[in-house]
Amino acid sequence: MSTVAVTRLIEAPVASVWQVFTDLARRRDWLSAVTRVEVLSKGPFGAGTAWRETRPMADGGEITEEFHVLECVIPDRFVVTSPGIGADYTMTYSFVPVVSGRHRGGTMVTVVQDGGATQPGGRLLALIFGGLAAGTAEVAMRRDLDDLAAVA
């Protein structure tokens, strides 16, 4: 099991940040590393919501991942899961209002990704490439939060 966590201050109120982040139909418009988004569920964002997003890979290919919202507490947090190839991971997004100081009115967004191997081959790869995968995930999560900050 590996865990990666990233936190970013966004100079916008929680409601605005939540609205941008959970508007799946417009996700492709503001996420620079996403080339395609396909919403798989109907209705408002919440537990049970599902979507696929495609991102470019370093080798020039693409990877498509499917996400399912397991828990959702509007506008505080949500948890998504995504099955991988030999490994599954869960991401928890938290949106906390800044209530004092010079960034009052802003939002602290934290993303925690927990991943674990689901097959023996995945365990071996996690041992060999675990640090590299964690670093790649951290870079992607930081880029997504920077994109969110730019639009929110």
Side-chain angles (χ1 to χ4, degrees):
M1 179 82 117
S2 106
T3 300
V4 177
V6 173
T7 298
R8 170 84 157 73
L9 171 69
I10 297 179
E11 297 284 355
V14 169
S16 297
V17 175
W18 179 273
Q19 174 59 37
V20 169
F21 202 90
T22 61
D23 185 351
L24 299 177
R26 293 198 171 97
R27 196 165 173 80
R28 167 61 191 97
D29 296 342
W30 63 269
L31 274 172
S32 63
V34 172
T35 59
R36 189 169 45 251
V37 174
E38 177 187 2
V39 180
L40 303 174
S41 55
K42 302 231 184 271
F45 187 92
T49 297
W51 75 97
R52 285 188 194 108
E53 59 186 45
T54 302
R55 295 172 180 252
M57 293 176 30
D59 67 2
E62 289 186 325
I63 185 166
T64 299
E65 296 179 282
E66 189 166 308
F67 297 95
H68 298 268
V69 178
L70 296 178
E71 302 171 28
C72 184
V73 179
I74 299 170
D76 300 326
R77 69 187 285 276
F78 66 89
V79 179
V80 297
T81 186
S82 181
I85 300 170
D88 291 342
Y89 62 93
T90 301
M91 295 172 37
T92 301
Y93 294 84
S94 301
F95 303 82
V96 178
V98 178
V99 295
S100 64
R102 68 183 185 130
H103 298 290
R104 188 168 80 170
T107 304
M108 292 299 286
V109 179
T110 300
V111 185
V112 178
Q113 178 180 296
D114 292 306
T118 58
Q119 300 171 2
R123 288 185 194 95
L124 178 60
L125 287 174
L127 286 173
I128 296 170
F129 298 112
L132 178 61
T136 301
E138 182 178 349
V139 167
M141 291 172 4
R142 285 190 191 286
R143 183 179 330 139
D144 288 356
L145 292 182
D146 288 346
D147 289 349
L148 177 62
V151 75

